[in-house]
Amino acid sequence: MKAQTSASILAAVILAVSPPILVPQASSDEPGTVGIGLAQLYSDQQPNKRGPLVVLKVAEASPGAKAGIQRGDIVIAVNGSPATGRELADINAKDIQGPVGGTLRLTFARLDGSQSEITLTRVPYTPHTNPASDPFVYSVPGNWGMDPRWSFPLPWSPALPYHGVEDLAYAPNFADTNSPEYHSYLFFWWIEGTREFTAGQLQGDMLTYFRGLAEERGKNNGFAPDLSKVSAEYSADPQGRESLGGSPARIFSGTVTIYDTHGKTIKLNSEVVASACPGTGHTAVFFGMSLEPRTAPIWKKLDASRDTFRCSR
C-alpha cells in the first residue's frame, strides 16, 4: 500500500473516533489496552470514503507511549490488514480490542514515504476513579466511557429539586444496537441533604429526568419525542441489599421506557440503591440501567462498580 502524502493527510477529515482509551484486576480474558485513541480519516479514493487512521491520544506510560507513538501518527494497517476502506468500528472490534497479554501490530506511514511496524502488548486498563477531592470514593472499569461530571440543576432536567452532582459511566458497547451492552450504563448522584426515597418519588424523578433527556436527544438527533411514551415504574425491593458504602440503604427495582438516540423507545431494567451517608449531610444514589434482564452478565459489572462505593475515604 502506498503511504498518503503529508498534504492529503493534513486535508483529511476525521470521520469517527474510537472508544475511550481509558478494567479492574486482569485475567487472561480481561479486555486490555495499548493506550492509544484513533480516529478515521476521509479518503476520496475509497467508495465508502474510509481512509487510514490517525492517532488522537496516547496515554502516559502506556505501551503506545513506551513504543514512541505520537499524536498525529498515521496508521495504514492493523495486524497486517489495510485500514483504508474498513470501518473504524470493525477494526476496533476485530483487531484493536482484545485480552490482556494479546498483541497488536500497527503499520505507520511516515512523512518521507516510508513505513514502519510496531507490535504492542495489551495491558490492563486503569480503572476510572472519582476525583480525590470528593469525600466519597468509587471506581468504574477503565474501558467504560465517562461523561464529564454534571452539576444540579441538570441541563436536560432542571426541574429536579436537588443540589449536588451526577457522574455517568457507560459500557464499552453502549452505542452498539447489536450488542447486549446496548444502553447499559450507571449514573451516580451525590445530593445535598438526608433524603429517604420512596418508590413514588423515584418514579416522579425518573419521569422528569428521562422526559427531559428525550427532548434533548430529539433536538440533537432530529426527531420529535412523544413524552407520553416515557414512563417509569419502581417498587421497593425488600430482598435487596441493605447497605451502600457501609451505610444502611434502600433498594428499588423497576423499569423505565425512554427514547434512545435513534428516536426509538426502549425499556430498560433499572435498579436503584440509595443511602444517606452519615456525617456528610449528603445522600448517595446509584442507578443501574440495562436492556438486559437482572440475571445477565452486564449486571455483574454494574453491581461491581456500585460495590466499590464508600461514603468516606
Side-chain angles (χ1 to χ4, degrees), residues 153-175:
L154 300 175
W156 59 91
S157 53
L160 284 173
Y162 302 121
H163 297 281
V165 297
E166 175 185 284
D167 290 344
L168 188 150
Y170 44 95
N173 295 307
F174 172 89

Side-chain angles (χ1 to χ4, degrees), residues 201-219:
Q201 179 184 353
L202 191 57
Q203 287 178 183
D205 285 348
M206 291 300 94
L207 275 177
T208 299
Y209 186 99
F210 285 111
R211 283 176 175 170
L213 185 62
E215 289 183 313
E216 182 179 79
R217 284 180 165 179
K219 188 184 307 179

Side-chain angles (χ1 to χ4, degrees), residues 8 12 20 28 85 128-129 145 163 170 176 184 227 237 261 268 275 281 310:
S8 64
S28 59
H128 297 294
T129 56
H163 297 281
Y170 44 95
D176 182 356
S184 293
L227 298 186
D237 186 349
T261 56
L268 301 180
S275 174
R310 295 293 178 270

Side-chain angles (χ1 to χ4, degrees), residues 207-243:
L207 275 177
T208 299
Y209 186 99
F210 285 111
R211 283 176 175 170
L213 185 62
E215 289 183 313
E216 182 179 79
R217 284 180 165 179
K219 188 184 307 179
N220 293 338
N221 296 282
F223 65 88
D226 178 353
L227 298 186
S228 68
K229 293 183 177 180
V230 177
S231 64
E233 296 181 6
Y234 284 95
S235 60
D237 186 349
Q239 304 302 317
R241 59 189 286 111
E242 298 179 351
S243 67

Side-chain angles (χ1 to χ4, degrees), residues 53 87 90 104 161 192 215 239 247 260 291 299:
L53 310 178
E87 295 282 350
D90 180 66
L104 173 68
E192 294 178 8
E215 289 183 313
Q239 304 302 317
S247 300
D260 67 8
L291 280 166
W299 283 96

Side-chain angles (χ1 to χ4, degrees), residues 4 51 62 113 140 178 208 228 238 243 262-263 277 297 300 310:
Q4 284 199 341
S62 68
V140 175
N178 296 316
T208 299
S228 68
S243 67
H262 305 285
C277 285
K300 293 182 179 179
R310 295 293 178 270

Side-chain angles (χ1 to χ4, degrees), residues 6 13 50 69 87 107 110-111 162 189 192 204 243 264:
S6 58
V13 177
R50 297 307 191 246
I69 297 173
E87 295 282 350
T107 305
R110 301 304 179 192
L111 292 179
Y162 302 121
W189 288 356
E192 294 178 8
S243 67
K264 178 183 176 182

